């Protein structure tokens, strides 16, 4: 069946905003501007950037309210009823999101944008392992196979960064190892967020856009408060600001006011986060999580291509092999290869009424405001 204009638009929006999200963050990191004391230096403020990211997430709540308002006064099916829930249940996932984003942005300062995006694929590994430990799930053979592919892909991406660090690179070996490790460590927090959401939030039937909005609100206020003690914590060489503070938000805000390029990069990051979450949920509900995986893979490829085009890194053939293994692992883990192949060639005569029922039920209400959260493995592809 041919795609509608709306579906094509959402697919393009997902790929575009997902690409802009990473590129704009890395672009801001590479811009120099006068800071608090008039000293010109790079915009190295990962925690401040994470605050702006949470503003983008919070805007999803405004989008949810807008769609709810329009649907109650316009045409279309009525919104699905949602259970009453205490907003505080979003606090723990927001803390995990805050930790993951801050550590990832910190790691991005020390490595390539393409490696940053590829290494984020390790979230599937940690999500699978944590779901076994805390959700009492049993991973089957194809899921363990997918995890194996992903681990091999991650090792190749990291190896490529280290081997080619000295060949026309802006980063030394120690910097790249630090950045890559920070990004992988951040995925433990991200996986914890997804497991917490599935364990505590899904039972309340919370619409995805509303969940993202609440987490953005809690994350923004919590991290904003933490910026105060961070100002007084010495970070030494780990800090990129002149005074060596863990985070100097005052210096960062002054740099933004002194550079239209940094201001534009921050604004693009904020807007891309909001539209990426909106487009991601729309694509999942219009098509499937599989389609979203394909589009997310295209996003990673575009980020890698743009990094090469902008001269931010040199071509590394091992990274291509690692990327292929990561994509294969993601598809295998999410049951896109093995079981569909067997069903197609070995079970052609069998009917699957349950799948048809689930498919029909998914389209009875608006996916943007219904309490039908995306699967755990699909949430691992978001942001």
């Amino acid at each position: 069946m041919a795609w509608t204009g709306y579906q094509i638009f959402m697919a393009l929006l997902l790929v575009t905003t997902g690409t802009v999200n990473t590129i704009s963050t890395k672009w801001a990191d590479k811009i120099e501007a006068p800071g608090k004391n008039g000293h010109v230096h790079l915009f190295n403020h990962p925690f401040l950037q994470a605050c702006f990211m949470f503003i983008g997430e919070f805007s999803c709540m405004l989008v949810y309210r807008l769609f709810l308002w329009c649907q109650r006064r316009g045409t279309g099916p009525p919104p699905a009823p949602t259970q009453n829930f205490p907003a505080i249940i979003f606090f723990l996932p927001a803390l995990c999101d805050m930790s993951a984003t801050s550590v990832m942005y910190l790691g991005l300062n020390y490595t390539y944008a393409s490696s940053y995006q590829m290494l984020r694929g390790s979230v599937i590994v940690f999500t699978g392992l944590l779901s076994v430990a805390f959700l009492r799930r049993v991973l089957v053979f194809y899921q363990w196979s997918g995890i194996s592919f992903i681990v091999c892909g991650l090792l190749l991406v990291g190896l490529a960064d280290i081997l080619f660090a000295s060949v026309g690179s802006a980063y030394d070996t120690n910097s790249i190892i630090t950045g890559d490790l920070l990004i992988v460590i951040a995925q433990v927090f991200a996986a914890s967020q997804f497991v917490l959401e599935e364990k505590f939030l899904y039972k309340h039937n919370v619409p995805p856009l509303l969940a993202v909005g609440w987490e953005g609100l809690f994350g923004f206020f919590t991290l904003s408060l933490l910026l105060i003690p961070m100002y007084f914590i010495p970070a030494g060489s780990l800090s990129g600001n002149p005074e060596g503070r863990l985070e100097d938000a005052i210096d960062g805000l002054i740099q933004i006011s002194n550079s239209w390029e940094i201001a534009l990069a921050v604004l693009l990051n904020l807007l891309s986060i909001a539209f990426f979450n909106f487009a991601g949920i729309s694509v999942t509900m219009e098509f499937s999580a599989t389609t979203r995986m394909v589009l997310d893979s295209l996003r990673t490829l575009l980020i890698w291509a743009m990094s090469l085009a902008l001269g931010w890194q040199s071509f590394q053939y091992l990274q291509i092999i690692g990327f292929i293994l990561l994509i294969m692992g993601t598809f295998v883990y999410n049951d896109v290869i093995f079981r569909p192949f067997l069903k197609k060639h070995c079970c052609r005569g069998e009917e699957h009424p349950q799948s048809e029922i689930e498919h029909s039920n998914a389209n009875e209400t608006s996916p943007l405001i219904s309490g039908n959260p995306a699967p755990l493995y699909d949430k691992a592809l978001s942001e």
Side-chain angles (χ1 to χ4, degrees), residues 70 176-177 246 252 309 356:
C70 292
I176 289 177
I177 293 176
L246 181 59
E356 295 174 1

Side-chain angles (χ1 to χ4, degrees), residues 237-347:
S237 60
L238 190 64
S239 171
N241 55 75
E243 297 181 359
R245 305 178 188 275
L246 181 59
E247 179 58 281
D248 191 340
I250 299 174
D251 180 72
L253 292 173
I254 293 176
Q255 281 191 291
I256 293 174
S257 65
N258 287 334
S259 172
W260 67 267
E261 292 176 300
I262 296 178
L264 177 60
V266 169
L267 180 62
L268 287 174
N269 179 259
L270 189 155
L271 294 175
S272 66
I273 284 290
F275 283 103
F276 177 72
N277 280 281
F278 167 72
I281 294 170
S282 300
V283 166
T284 300
M285 302 307 295
E286 285 288 330
F287 301 100
S288 66
T290 303
T291 304
R292 182 168 178 178
M293 280 191 296
V294 174
L295 294 174
D296 199 74
S297 302
L298 180 59
R299 169 173 72 124
T300 303
L301 190 61
L302 284 176
I303 292 171
W304 180 75
M306 289 189 66
S307 297
L308 290 177
L310 294 171
W312 290 355
Q313 68 179 91
S314 57
F315 178 79
Q316 303 170 9
Y317 68 90
L318 282 180
Q319 203 172 49
I320 287 291
I321 301 174
F323 172 72
I324 293 173
L325 287 174
L326 286 171
I327 298 304
M328 287 180 59
T330 302
F331 276 63
V332 170
Y333 181 87
N334 291 319
D335 198 16
V336 180
I337 296 180
F338 286 161
R339 197 157 59 177
F341 177 83
L342 294 176
K343 286 181 179 179
K344 180 178 180 180
H345 295 280
C346 303
C347 308

Side-chain angles (χ1 to χ4, degrees), residues 6 10 60-61 63-68 71 79-80 82 206-211 275 277-286 362 365-372:
Y6 173 78
M10 282 300 163
C60 290
M61 183 185 294
V63 174
Y64 167 79
R65 297 296 181 186
L66 176 62
F67 272 93
L68 192 63
Q71 193 156 39
T82 58
V206 182
L209 279 178
L210 183 59
F275 283 103
N277 280 281
F278 167 72
I281 294 170
S282 300
V283 166
T284 300
M285 302 307 295
E286 285 288 330
T365 58
S366 170
L368 298 174
I369 62 174
S370 63
N372 185 22

